[in-house]
Amino acid sequence: MRKYVIAGNWKMNMTPSAAKKFISDLAATLPAQNKCDIVLCVPFVDIAPAAEAAKGTPIHIGAQNVHFEKSGAFTGEISADMLLEAGAEYVIVGHSERRQYFGETDETVNKRTRAALAAGLRVILCLGEVKEQRLAGITDEVVAMQTKLDLAGITAEELKRVIIAYEPVWAIGTGLTATPEQADETCGTIRRTVASLYGQAAADALIIQYGGSMNDANAAELLSKENVDGGLIGGASLKTDKFKAIIDAANK
Ligand code: 13P
């Protein structure tokens, strides 16, 4: 009953002109009806041209971060209203690269998530354990804690616009993918945690993606798992043929 959501996270790649070309090339290969939702989360300056190029196609556009204040003296930040007006429907919040390199904490991730939802955006909330935590056997505790802290204060109604992306940090950009069993198990832990907060029906409806070296070769097996409802794809979302192959796996 859950629909797959295949999302690309371009990170700091693709100029506006490259984004437009990518979207028209990809759209030309897509069937009119897709069983999955398709999202591209692009750099801020690409949002408006990408949204324009995606008009009339099944592709939805997202951003990669959002500030929690509506406006003000926050040099280098961007507001939810700015993203919406530029044409973004989605925003990634809490990506591990933001947590690792830009000092994001569960507290700021929660504030950004709340602001984005209040403004009407859909949120792809990223969380996941680092290698040491997996080796120490505390992955379940870590993702349960992140889920609780990052969703604090979010209503059941708002949760309907949240996707959780389980991204084990050790699998991002490393070529090391979680096994389908590991992905399923940890996405299941996240779903149980959401059930404890919002009830079973809300947890059953929640889209939980896997992210971390997902590619055209491993997507079908990861997506075959019960608790994996899509992917958040970095490197393999930068090539139309590879990204299309992942969409094909979700469309099967
Ligand atoms: P890779 O697919 O390049 O490992 O990146 C995953 C990711 O961080 C998506 O947000």
Side-chain angles (χ1 to χ4, degrees):
M1 72 171 180
R2 293 187 294 268
K3 196 174 184 185
Y4 286 122
V5 180
I6 302 298
N9 173 11
W10 280 358
K11 309 191 179 184
M12 197 172 71
N13 294 290
M14 299 271 204
T15 61
S17 58
K20 281 195 286 190
K21 181 171 182 336
F22 182 101
I23 289 168
S24 54
D25 288 352
L26 176 66
T29 69
L30 292 175
Q33 300 294 326
N34 289 277
K35 285 192 208 152
C36 60
D37 286 338
I38 303 164
V39 184
L40 286 172
C41 296
V42 305
F44 295 138
V45 294
D46 293 359
I47 294 172
E52 187 60 34
K55 266 195 194 136
T57 79
I59 302 165
H60 300 266
I61 301 302
Q64 299 171 15
N65 193 18
V66 61
H67 197 258
F68 36 85
E69 294 294 344
K70 282 190 162 301
S71 62
F74 301 101
T75 302
E77 290 285 332
I78 200 150
S79 76
D81 287 344
M82 291 170 188
L83 298 179
L84 282 162
E85 195 168 322
E89 289 174 68
Y90 290 78
V91 63
I92 293 173
V93 177
H95 192 277
S96 69
E97 285 148 20
R98 301 283 328 162
R99 295 180 192 249
Q100 238 178 319
Y101 308 138
F102 301 100
E104 293 273 353
T105 62
D106 286 311
E107 187 187 349
T108 59
V109 169
N110 174 249
K111 285 167 84 170
R112 291 177 198 269
T113 301
R114 289 163 68 158
L117 291 170
L121 286 160
R122 293 179 181 277
V123 171
I124 300 177
L125 171 62
C126 301
L127 50 87
E129 81 287 2
V130 300
K131 189 169 126 204
E132 293 72 22
Q133 292 166 332
R134 179 153 288 267
L135 292 176
I138 57 170
T139 297
D140 286 345
E141 287 94 322
V142 170
V143 299
M145 186 184 72
Q146 289 176 326
T147 302
K148 288 179 186 170
L149 292 173
D150 297 352
L151 291 178
I154 285 154
T155 66
E157 203 46 42
E158 288 173 328
L159 186 75
K160 294 177 183 161
R161 282 184 286 117
V162 175
I163 291 171
I164 294 184
Y166 166 55
E167 299 207 303
V169 179
W170 49 270
I172 295 177
T174 56
L176 287 175
T177 315
T179 64
E181 291 69 30
Q182 286 172 326
D184 189 41
E185 201 179 299
T186 310
C187 289
T189 301
I190 295 169
R191 201 177 302 285
R192 276 194 301 283
T193 307
V194 170
S196 75
L197 299 169
Y198 295 92
Q200 195 59 48
D204 286 343
L206 178 74
I207 304 291
I208 304 180
Q209 298 173 318
Y210 168 78
S213 301
M214 191 189 255
N215 58 38
D216 47 328
N218 59 29
E221 216 189 332
L222 286 160
L223 293 173
S224 74
K225 292 295 171 188
E226 186 189 337
N227 282 302
V228 179
D229 308 317
L232 184 57
I233 298 121
S237 73
L238 295 169
K239 294 271 184 295
T240 43
D241 56 339
K242 292 202 184 305
F243 193 56
K244 169 66 168 36
I246 300 172
I247 295 168
D248 287 345
N251 271 336
K252 283 227 170 78

mmCIF file of all heavy atoms in Angstrom, residues 125 127 138-152 154 159 164 166 184-204 206 208 227:
data_model
loop_
_atom_site.group_PDB
_atom_site.id
_atom_site.type_symbol
_atom_site.label_atom_id
_atom_site.label_comp_id
_atom_site.label_asym_id
_atom_site.label_seq_id
_atom_site.Cartn_x
_atom_site.Cartn_y
_atom_site.Cartn_z
ATOM 1 N N LEU A 125 13.629 13.452 5.897
ATOM 2 C CA LEU A 125 14.421 13.542 7.125
ATOM 3 C C LEU A 125 15.446 12.411 7.155
ATOM 4 O O LEU A 125 15.075 11.239 7.133
ATOM 5 C CB LEU A 125 13.461 13.428 8.322
ATOM 6 C CG LEU A 125 14.062 13.290 9.706
ATOM 7 C CD1 LEU A 125 14.897 14.501 10.068
ATOM 8 C CD2 LEU A 125 12.948 13.089 10.717
ATOM 9 N N LEU A 127 18.533 10.189 8.748
ATOM 10 C CA LEU A 127 19.199 9.780 9.981
ATOM 11 C C LEU A 127 19.890 8.438 9.741
ATOM 12 O O LEU A 127 19.645 7.765 8.731
ATOM 13 C CB LEU A 127 18.186 9.708 11.135
ATOM 14 C CG LEU A 127 16.890 8.942 10.916
ATOM 15 C CD1 LEU A 127 17.074 7.476 11.243
ATOM 16 C CD2 LEU A 127 15.777 9.524 11.777
ATOM 17 N N ILE A 138 24.830 -0.791 18.626
ATOM 18 C CA ILE A 138 23.816 0.127 19.173
ATOM 19 C C ILE A 138 23.041 0.867 18.079
ATOM 20 O O ILE A 138 22.442 1.907 18.333
ATOM 21 C CB ILE A 138 24.448 1.148 20.168
ATOM 22 C CG1 ILE A 138 25.579 1.955 19.493
ATOM 23 C CG2 ILE A 138 24.961 0.447 21.410
ATOM 24 C CD1 ILE A 138 26.067 3.131 20.325
ATOM 25 N N THR A 139 23.036 0.288 16.869
ATOM 26 C CA THR A 139 22.328 0.932 15.756
ATOM 27 C C THR A 139 20.859 1.203 16.087
ATOM 28 O O THR A 139 20.351 2.299 15.833
ATOM 29 C CB THR A 139 22.427 0.040 14.495
ATOM 30 O OG1 THR A 139 23.799 -0.052 14.142
ATOM 31 C CG2 THR A 139 21.639 0.625 13.333
ATOM 32 N N ASP A 140 20.172 0.207 16.644
ATOM 33 C CA ASP A 140 18.744 0.381 16.917
ATOM 34 C C ASP A 140 18.497 1.527 17.902
ATOM 35 O O ASP A 140 17.586 2.327 17.708
ATOM 36 C CB ASP A 140 18.140 -0.921 17.475
ATOM 37 C CG ASP A 140 17.988 -1.964 16.374
ATOM 38 O OD1 ASP A 140 18.074 -1.600 15.182
ATOM 39 O OD2 ASP A 140 17.785 -3.150 16.711
ATOM 40 N N GLU A 141 19.324 1.582 18.945
ATOM 41 C CA GLU A 141 19.162 2.661 19.928
ATOM 42 C C GLU A 141 19.412 4.015 19.276
ATOM 43 O O GLU A 141 18.699 4.981 19.529
ATOM 44 C CB GLU A 141 20.148 2.498 21.102
ATOM 45 C CG GLU A 141 19.799 1.366 22.044
ATOM 46 C CD GLU A 141 20.514 0.061 21.693
ATOM 47 O OE1 GLU A 141 20.668 -0.246 20.492
ATOM 48 O OE2 GLU A 141 20.918 -0.654 22.613
ATOM 49 N N VAL A 142 20.441 4.085 18.427
ATOM 50 C CA VAL A 142 20.802 5.359 17.799
ATOM 51 C C VAL A 142 19.671 5.851 16.891
ATOM 52 O O VAL A 142 19.239 6.997 16.983
ATOM 53 C CB VAL A 142 22.119 5.223 16.997
ATOM 54 C CG1 VAL A 142 22.376 6.459 16.130
ATOM 55 C CG2 VAL A 142 23.299 4.999 17.943
ATOM 56 N N VAL A 143 19.174 4.973 16.020
ATOM 57 C CA VAL A 143 18.141 5.449 15.088
ATOM 58 C C VAL A 143 16.818 5.723 15.808
ATOM 59 O O VAL A 143 16.080 6.640 15.421
ATOM 60 C CB VAL A 143 17.931 4.517 13.860
ATOM 61 C CG1 VAL A 143 19.206 4.403 13.052
ATOM 62 C CG2 VAL A 143 17.372 3.162 14.247
ATOM 63 N N ALA A 144 16.540 4.966 16.871
ATOM 64 C CA ALA A 144 15.305 5.235 17.631
ATOM 65 C C ALA A 144 15.399 6.601 18.301
ATOM 66 O O ALA A 144 14.447 7.388 18.286
ATOM 67 C CB ALA A 144 15.074 4.144 18.679
ATOM 68 N N MET A 145 16.574 6.902 18.855
ATOM 69 C CA MET A 145 16.750 8.197 19.521
ATOM 70 C C MET A 145 16.653 9.339 18.511
ATOM 71 O O MET A 145 15.964 10.331 18.740
ATOM 72 C CB MET A 145 18.102 8.214 20.231
ATOM 73 C CG MET A 145 18.322 9.456 21.064
ATOM 74 S SD MET A 145 19.982 9.488 21.779
ATOM 75 C CE MET A 145 20.968 9.809 20.324
ATOM 76 N N GLN A 146 17.328 9.181 17.369
ATOM 77 C CA GLN A 146 17.262 10.235 16.344
ATOM 78 C C GLN A 146 15.815 10.440 15.892
ATOM 79 O O GLN A 146 15.365 11.573 15.728
ATOM 80 C CB GLN A 146 18.133 9.866 15.144
ATOM 81 C CG GLN A 146 19.634 9.932 15.437
ATOM 82 C CD GLN A 146 20.458 9.455 14.238
ATOM 83 O OE1 GLN A 146 20.055 8.567 13.491
ATOM 84 N NE2 GLN A 146 21.631 10.048 14.069
ATOM 85 N N THR A 147 15.105 9.338 15.678
ATOM 86 C CA THR A 147 13.712 9.437 15.220
ATOM 87 C C THR A 147 12.888 10.243 16.227
ATOM 88 O O THR A 147 12.146 11.160 15.847
ATOM 89 C CB THR A 147 13.111 8.025 15.041
ATOM 90 O OG1 THR A 147 13.917 7.305 14.105
ATOM 91 C CG2 THR A 147 11.681 8.084 14.535
ATOM 92 N N LYS A 148 13.051 9.925 17.498
ATOM 93 C CA LYS A 148 12.263 10.621 18.527
ATOM 94 C C LYS A 148 12.640 12.098 18.612
ATOM 95 O O LYS A 148 11.769 12.964 18.660
ATOM 96 C CB LYS A 148 12.463 9.951 19.886
ATOM 97 C CG LYS A 148 11.770 8.605 19.980
ATOM 98 C CD LYS A 148 12.008 7.950 21.324
ATOM 99 C CE LYS A 148 11.425 6.542 21.311
ATOM 100 N NZ LYS A 148 11.799 5.758 22.472
ATOM 101 N N LEU A 149 13.945 12.378 18.630
ATOM 102 C CA LEU A 149 14.369 13.779 18.777
ATOM 103 C C LEU A 149 14.027 14.597 17.539
ATOM 104 O O LEU A 149 13.576 15.730 17.635
ATOM 105 C CB LEU A 149 15.882 13.841 19.034
ATOM 106 C CG LEU A 149 16.367 13.293 20.373
ATOM 107 C CD1 LEU A 149 17.892 13.271 20.410
ATOM 108 C CD2 LEU A 149 15.818 14.119 21.529
ATOM 109 N N ASP A 150 14.225 14.018 16.365
ATOM 110 C CA ASP A 150 14.032 14.788 15.129
ATOM 111 C C ASP A 150 12.550 15.040 14.853
ATOM 112 O O ASP A 150 12.193 16.018 14.186
ATOM 113 C CB ASP A 150 14.676 14.057 13.933
ATOM 114 C CG ASP A 150 16.197 13.929 14.083
ATOM 115 O OD1 ASP A 150 16.761 14.538 15.020
ATOM 116 O OD2 ASP A 150 16.808 13.210 13.276
ATOM 117 N N LEU A 151 11.669 14.158 15.352
ATOM 118 C CA LEU A 151 10.231 14.318 15.108
ATOM 119 C C LEU A 151 9.516 15.036 16.262
ATOM 120 O O LEU A 151 8.288 15.214 16.200
ATOM 121 C CB LEU A 151 9.562 12.956 14.879
ATOM 122 C CG LEU A 151 9.908 12.206 13.597
ATOM 123 C CD1 LEU A 151 9.192 10.853 13.560
ATOM 124 C CD2 LEU A 151 9.525 13.022 12.355
ATOM 125 N N ALA A 152 10.259 15.458 17.274
ATOM 126 C CA ALA A 152 9.610 16.069 18.451
ATOM 127 C C ALA A 152 8.719 17.241 18.039
ATOM 128 O O ALA A 152 9.130 18.110 17.268
ATOM 129 C CB ALA A 152 10.673 16.537 19.448
ATOM 130 N N ILE A 154 6.167 17.320 16.142
ATOM 131 C CA ILE A 154 5.521 17.229 14.823
ATOM 132 C C ILE A 154 4.194 16.492 14.974
ATOM 133 O O ILE A 154 4.126 15.428 15.601
ATOM 134 C CB ILE A 154 6.473 16.555 13.823
ATOM 135 C CG1 ILE A 154 7.542 17.591 13.450
ATOM 136 C CG2 ILE A 154 5.753 16.070 12.565
ATOM 137 C CD1 ILE A 154 8.824 17.007 13.025
ATOM 138 N N LEU A 159 3.094 14.627 9.954
ATOM 139 C CA LEU A 159 3.879 13.419 9.665
ATOM 140 C C LEU A 159 3.556 12.851 8.277
ATOM 141 O O LEU A 159 4.400 12.202 7.655
ATOM 142 C CB LEU A 159 3.642 12.359 10.747
ATOM 143 C CG LEU A 159 4.522 11.110 10.623
ATOM 144 C CD1 LEU A 159 5.958 11.421 11.069
ATOM 145 C CD2 LEU A 159 3.954 9.947 11.419
ATOM 146 N N ILE A 164 11.142 9.405 5.959
ATOM 147 C CA ILE A 164 12.417 9.220 6.679
ATOM 148 C C ILE A 164 13.369 8.467 5.763
ATOM 149 O O ILE A 164 13.000 7.449 5.163
ATOM 150 C CB ILE A 164 12.211 8.484 8.018
ATOM 151 C CG1 ILE A 164 11.384 9.369 8.966
ATOM 152 C CG2 ILE A 164 13.573 8.137 8.653
ATOM 153 C CD1 ILE A 164 11.183 8.804 10.361
ATOM 154 N N TYR A 166 16.661 6.403 5.880
ATOM 155 C CA TYR A 166 17.666 5.742 6.706
ATOM 156 C C TYR A 166 18.956 5.670 5.909
ATOM 157 O O TYR A 166 19.037 4.960 4.894
ATOM 158 C CB TYR A 166 17.202 4.340 7.118
ATOM 159 C CG TYR A 166 18.344 3.519 7.664
ATOM 160 C CD1 TYR A 166 19.114 4.006 8.731
ATOM 161 C CD2 TYR A 166 18.707 2.302 7.097
ATOM 162 C CE1 TYR A 166 20.195 3.289 9.212
ATOM 163 C CE2 TYR A 166 19.783 1.567 7.579
ATOM 164 C CZ TYR A 166 20.531 2.074 8.628
ATOM 165 O OH TYR A 166 21.614 1.377 9.094
ATOM 166 N N ASP A 184 16.530 -3.494 5.829
ATOM 167 C CA ASP A 184 15.157 -3.833 6.212
ATOM 168 C C ASP A 184 14.985 -3.789 7.728
ATOM 169 O O ASP A 184 14.017 -3.248 8.259
ATOM 170 C CB ASP A 184 14.823 -5.235 5.682
ATOM 171 C CG ASP A 184 13.358 -5.582 5.847
ATOM 172 O OD1 ASP A 184 12.513 -4.702 5.605
ATOM 173 O OD2 ASP A 184 13.062 -6.734 6.205
ATOM 174 N N GLU A 185 15.989 -4.358 8.412
ATOM 175 C CA GLU A 185 15.915 -4.442 9.867
ATOM 176 C C GLU A 185 15.903 -3.046 10.497
ATOM 177 O O GLU A 185 15.088 -2.743 11.364
ATOM 178 C CB GLU A 185 17.150 -5.218 10.337
ATOM 179 C CG GLU A 185 17.052 -5.837 11.690
ATOM 180 C CD GLU A 185 18.356 -6.579 11.990
ATOM 181 O OE1 GLU A 185 18.685 -7.528 11.239
ATOM 182 O OE2 GLU A 185 19.035 -6.193 12.949
ATOM 183 N N THR A 186 16.817 -2.177 10.024
ATOM 184 C CA THR A 186 16.906 -0.861 10.663
ATOM 185 C C THR A 186 15.738 0.032 10.245
ATOM 186 O O THR A 186 15.215 0.795 11.063
ATOM 187 C CB THR A 186 18.271 -0.208 10.380
ATOM 188 O OG1 THR A 186 19.292 -1.162 10.681
ATOM 189 C CG2 THR A 186 18.480 1.028 11.231
ATOM 190 N N CYS A 187 15.288 -0.079 8.983
ATOM 191 C CA CYS A 187 14.069 0.656 8.598
ATOM 192 C C CYS A 187 12.886 0.168 9.444
ATOM 193 O O CYS A 187 12.017 0.951 9.824
ATOM 194 C CB CYS A 187 13.774 0.488 7.104
ATOM 195 S SG CYS A 187 14.940 1.359 6.031
ATOM 196 N N GLY A 188 12.892 -1.112 9.775
ATOM 197 C CA GLY A 188 11.843 -1.675 10.641
ATOM 198 C C GLY A 188 11.904 -1.083 12.046
ATOM 199 O O GLY A 188 10.869 -0.811 12.664
ATOM 200 N N THR A 189 13.111 -0.891 12.553
ATOM 201 C CA THR A 189 13.269 -0.259 13.877
ATOM 202 C C THR A 189 12.698 1.151 13.846
ATOM 203 O O THR A 189 12.005 1.588 14.781
ATOM 204 C CB THR A 189 14.764 -0.206 14.269
ATOM 205 O OG1 THR A 189 15.265 -1.539 14.284
ATOM 206 C CG2 THR A 189 14.969 0.453 15.613
ATOM 207 N N ILE A 190 12.985 1.879 12.768
ATOM 208 C CA ILE A 190 12.462 3.247 12.644
ATOM 209 C C ILE A 190 10.931 3.201 12.601
ATOM 210 O O ILE A 190 10.253 3.981 13.269
ATOM 211 C CB ILE A 190 13.047 3.927 11.375
ATOM 212 C CG1 ILE A 190 14.559 4.098 11.534
ATOM 213 C CG2 ILE A 190 12.355 5.257 11.101
ATOM 214 C CD1 ILE A 190 15.280 4.500 10.255
ATOM 215 N N ARG A 191 10.383 2.241 11.846
ATOM 216 C CA ARG A 191 8.919 2.157 11.742
ATOM 217 C C ARG A 191 8.294 1.828 13.104
ATOM 218 O O ARG A 191 7.278 2.403 13.483
ATOM 219 C CB ARG A 191 8.517 1.104 10.694
ATOM 220 C CG ARG A 191 7.094 1.314 10.171
ATOM 221 C CD ARG A 191 6.681 0.335 9.089
ATOM 222 N NE ARG A 191 7.516 0.327 7.908
ATOM 223 C CZ ARG A 191 7.513 1.271 6.958
ATOM 224 N NH1 ARG A 191 6.721 2.318 7.061
ATOM 225 N NH2 ARG A 191 8.321 1.172 5.909
ATOM 226 N N ARG A 192 8.927 0.926 13.853
ATOM 227 C CA ARG A 192 8.392 0.602 15.193
ATOM 228 C C ARG A 192 8.449 1.806 16.117
ATOM 229 O O ARG A 192 7.554 2.030 16.930
ATOM 230 C CB ARG A 192 9.183 -0.560 15.808
ATOM 231 C CG ARG A 192 8.707 -1.932 15.359
ATOM 232 C CD ARG A 192 9.275 -3.035 16.230
ATOM 233 N NE ARG A 192 10.742 -3.051 16.217
ATOM 234 C CZ ARG A 192 11.476 -3.551 15.209
ATOM 235 N NH1 ARG A 192 10.873 -4.062 14.140
ATOM 236 N NH2 ARG A 192 12.792 -3.526 15.249
ATOM 237 N N THR A 193 9.527 2.593 15.986
ATOM 238 C CA THR A 193 9.648 3.790 16.827
ATOM 239 C C THR A 193 8.545 4.784 16.478
ATOM 240 O O THR A 193 7.919 5.375 17.365
ATOM 241 C CB THR A 193 11.037 4.444 16.620
ATOM 242 O OG1 THR A 193 12.034 3.448 16.813
ATOM 243 C CG2 THR A 193 11.254 5.593 17.581
ATOM 244 N N VAL A 194 8.287 4.953 15.187
ATOM 245 C CA VAL A 194 7.214 5.864 14.766
ATOM 246 C C VAL A 194 5.859 5.337 15.251
ATOM 247 O O VAL A 194 5.003 6.106 15.683
ATOM 248 C CB VAL A 194 7.245 6.071 13.233
ATOM 249 C CG1 VAL A 194 6.002 6.800 12.735
ATOM 250 C CG2 VAL A 194 8.506 6.852 12.843
ATOM 251 N N ALA A 195 5.689 4.008 15.248
ATOM 252 C CA ALA A 195 4.436 3.425 15.753
ATOM 253 C C ALA A 195 4.250 3.744 17.229
ATOM 254 O O ALA A 195 3.136 4.033 17.682
ATOM 255 C CB ALA A 195 4.423 1.913 15.521
ATOM 256 N N SER A 196 5.360 3.729 17.977
ATOM 257 C CA SER A 196 5.257 4.015 19.414
ATOM 258 C C SER A 196 4.887 5.479 19.655
ATOM 259 O O SER A 196 4.326 5.824 20.688
ATOM 260 C CB SER A 196 6.567 3.666 20.136
ATOM 261 O OG SER A 196 7.562 4.639 19.864
ATOM 262 N N LEU A 197 5.194 6.338 18.690
ATOM 263 C CA LEU A 197 4.913 7.772 18.850
ATOM 264 C C LEU A 197 3.551 8.162 18.278
ATOM 265 O O LEU A 197 2.866 9.012 18.830
ATOM 266 C CB LEU A 197 5.987 8.611 18.125
ATOM 267 C CG LEU A 197 7.439 8.472 18.593
ATOM 268 C CD1 LEU A 197 8.383 9.163 17.608
ATOM 269 C CD2 LEU A 197 7.609 9.090 19.980
ATOM 270 N N TYR A 198 3.183 7.567 17.134
ATOM 271 C CA TYR A 198 2.005 8.051 16.377
ATOM 272 C C TYR A 198 0.959 6.963 16.141
ATOM 273 O O TYR A 198 -0.055 7.231 15.508
ATOM 274 C CB TYR A 198 2.444 8.608 15.018
ATOM 275 C CG TYR A 198 3.303 9.845 15.098
ATOM 276 C CD1 TYR A 198 4.692 9.749 15.128
ATOM 277 C CD2 TYR A 198 2.720 11.118 15.146
ATOM 278 C CE1 TYR A 198 5.484 10.878 15.204
ATOM 279 C CE2 TYR A 198 3.509 12.258 15.222
ATOM 280 C CZ TYR A 198 4.888 12.128 15.245
ATOM 281 O OH TYR A 198 5.671 13.248 15.322
ATOM 282 N N GLY A 199 1.244 5.735 16.560
ATOM 283 C CA GLY A 199 0.296 4.644 16.319
ATOM 284 C C GLY A 199 0.674 3.845 15.081
ATOM 285 O O GLY A 199 1.434 4.305 14.221
ATOM 286 N N GLN A 200 0.118 2.628 15.007
ATOM 287 C CA GLN A 200 0.502 1.689 13.959
ATOM 288 C C GLN A 200 0.087 2.152 12.562
ATOM 289 O O GLN A 200 0.832 1.995 11.599
ATOM 290 C CB GLN A 200 -0.100 0.302 14.257
ATOM 291 C CG GLN A 200 0.511 -0.828 13.445
ATOM 292 C CD GLN A 200 2.013 -0.970 13.663
ATOM 293 O OE1 GLN A 200 2.476 -0.975 14.799
ATOM 294 N NE2 GLN A 200 2.775 -1.059 12.575
ATOM 295 N N ALA A 201 -1.097 2.759 12.447
ATOM 296 C CA ALA A 201 -1.571 3.163 11.111
ATOM 297 C C ALA A 201 -0.642 4.215 10.514
ATOM 298 O O ALA A 201 -0.289 4.147 9.324
ATOM 299 C CB ALA A 201 -2.998 3.688 11.205
ATOM 300 N N ALA A 202 -0.226 5.173 11.330
ATOM 301 C CA ALA A 202 0.681 6.229 10.842
ATOM 302 C C ALA A 202 2.025 5.618 10.449
ATOM 303 O O ALA A 202 2.619 5.984 9.429
ATOM 304 C CB ALA A 202 0.878 7.293 11.915
ATOM 305 N N ALA A 203 2.488 4.657 11.247
ATOM 306 C CA ALA A 203 3.769 4.011 10.948
ATOM 307 C C ALA A 203 3.676 3.172 9.679
ATOM 308 O O ALA A 203 4.611 3.143 8.871
ATOM 309 C CB ALA A 203 4.198 3.136 12.126
ATOM 310 N N ASP A 204 2.536 2.518 9.481
ATOM 311 C CA ASP A 204 2.350 1.700 8.280
ATOM 312 C C ASP A 204 2.304 2.555 7.016
ATOM 313 O O ASP A 204 2.647 2.090 5.933
ATOM 314 C CB ASP A 204 1.056 0.881 8.378
ATOM 315 C CG ASP A 204 1.197 -0.283 9.347
ATOM 316 O OD1 ASP A 204 2.350 -0.643 9.677
ATOM 317 O OD2 ASP A 204 0.164 -0.819 9.783
ATOM 318 N N LEU A 206 3.947 5.449 6.650
ATOM 319 C CA LEU A 206 5.177 6.243 6.500
ATOM 320 C C LEU A 206 6.118 5.657 5.437
ATOM 321 O O LEU A 206 6.399 4.454 5.445
ATOM 322 C CB LEU A 206 5.918 6.280 7.850
ATOM 323 C CG LEU A 206 7.252 7.029 7.869
ATOM 324 C CD1 LEU A 206 7.023 8.540 7.833
ATOM 325 C CD2 LEU A 206 8.066 6.658 9.115
ATOM 326 N N ILE A 208 9.688 5.020 4.227
ATOM 327 C CA ILE A 208 11.057 4.983 4.751
ATOM 328 C C ILE A 208 11.983 4.557 3.616
ATOM 329 O O ILE A 208 11.856 3.452 3.066
ATOM 330 C CB ILE A 208 11.188 4.017 5.953
ATOM 331 C CG1 ILE A 208 10.187 4.400 7.057
ATOM 332 C CG2 ILE A 208 12.620 4.053 6.494
ATOM 333 C CD1 ILE A 208 10.241 3.505 8.292
ATOM 334 N N ASN A 227 10.331 -3.249 4.542
ATOM 335 C CA ASN A 227 10.375 -1.925 5.182
ATOM 336 C C ASN A 227 11.097 -0.861 4.376
ATOM 337 O O ASN A 227 11.257 0.263 4.842
ATOM 338 C CB ASN A 227 11.014 -2.049 6.571
ATOM 339 C CG ASN A 227 10.022 -2.608 7.562
ATOM 340 O OD1 ASN A 227 8.949 -2.040 7.766
ATOM 341 N ND2 ASN A 227 10.346 -3.761 8.138
#
